Amino acid sequence: GKRQDIIYDEVWDFLGDEYTGALISEQYRTARKYGARIWCISQLVTDFLDNPNVDAIRENAYLKIFLQMKSPDQCELLSGYGLNQNEINITKKLALHSEFFVKLANTSFVGTLSPSKLDMEICSTDKDSIERYSDSINCPETLWKEVQSHAS
């Protein structure tokens, strides 16, 4: 059958609720047999450590992706996700906005993104960028023209 992705952005809000936290935890245990993949996205590593509903998430998530942390102390918390000390040390050196650390069951690696100036501006929360591209973002045809003009 068709694969389905279920994506929870800012998942900390859901995990904090007794019922939705338990539901997400159960989905992590059973999603594969229904052809589904679960993605939980949050900005803080502690969101998946300080909650009784998240053990199943950490134990059943085959793929874990980490961006640069605000402090080396936060990186040390990654042992709770199955990272060894060498992997934790690598996460401490990730470049802001361009590198990410991927942990799979038996391997790990650093990935690199090379966003264009347009990518950076469109994905920015900077007030000037938002104002500059607000018409483009709200109108797909205008956005496509903007992308084409930067591509050449």
Side-chain angles (χ1 to χ4, degrees):
K2 261 187 168 176
R3 288 199 60 83
Q4 219 175 0
D5 286 301
I6 301 168
I7 302 169
Y8 294 102
D9 192 11
E10 299 297 344
V11 73
W12 61 269
D13 199 24
F14 295 107
L15 295 175
D17 180 83
E18 175 184 355
Y19 299 105
T20 57
L23 172 67
I24 294 169
S25 180
E26 182 63 23
Q27 286 174 331
Y28 262 89
R29 288 186 191 94
T30 60
R32 281 187 303 222
K33 72 178 173 182
Y34 297 110
R37 294 178 292 211
I38 311 291
W39 295 82
C40 285
I41 303 166
S42 190
Q43 294 182 23
L44 301 174
V45 294
T46 54
D47 290 341
F48 296 99
L49 296 173
D50 299 339
N51 186 309
N53 290 316
V54 299
D55 290 342
I57 294 173
R58 285 194 322 273
E59 292 166 9
N60 291 288
Y62 179 76
L63 169 70
K64 300 172 186 96
I65 302 171
F66 303 97
L67 305 177
Q68 184 190 55
M69 307 282 171
K70 288 184 179 182
S71 74
D73 292 342
Q74 285 183 331
C75 294
E76 293 299 328
L77 297 172
L78 296 178
S79 62
Y81 292 86
L83 276 69
N84 62 41
Q85 193 59 51
N86 183 49
E87 293 169 326
I88 290 170
N89 291 338
I90 291 169
T91 66
K92 292 177 182 179
K93 300 173 186 170
L94 294 175
L96 183 64
H97 300 304
S98 63
E99 291 184 327
F100 54 95
F101 185 83
V102 177
K103 174 69 175 173
L104 301 168
N106 296 316
T107 191
S108 61
F109 61 90
V110 173
T112 303
L113 294 173
S114 300
S116 70
K117 184 176 185 236
L118 178 64
D119 295 331
M120 292 292 286
E121 291 214 11
I122 288 176
C123 296
S124 174
T125 56
D126 172 63
K127 182 179 181 246
D128 293 334
S129 295
I130 292 170
E131 287 175 1
R132 186 169 30 256
Y133 292 100
S134 64
D135 290 340
S136 298
I137 291 169
N138 293 322
C139 178
E141 293 83 17
T142 306
L143 179 59
W144 179 244
K145 289 176 187 171
E146 192 74 37
V147 169
Q148 287 178 318
S149 73
H150 283 78
S152 42

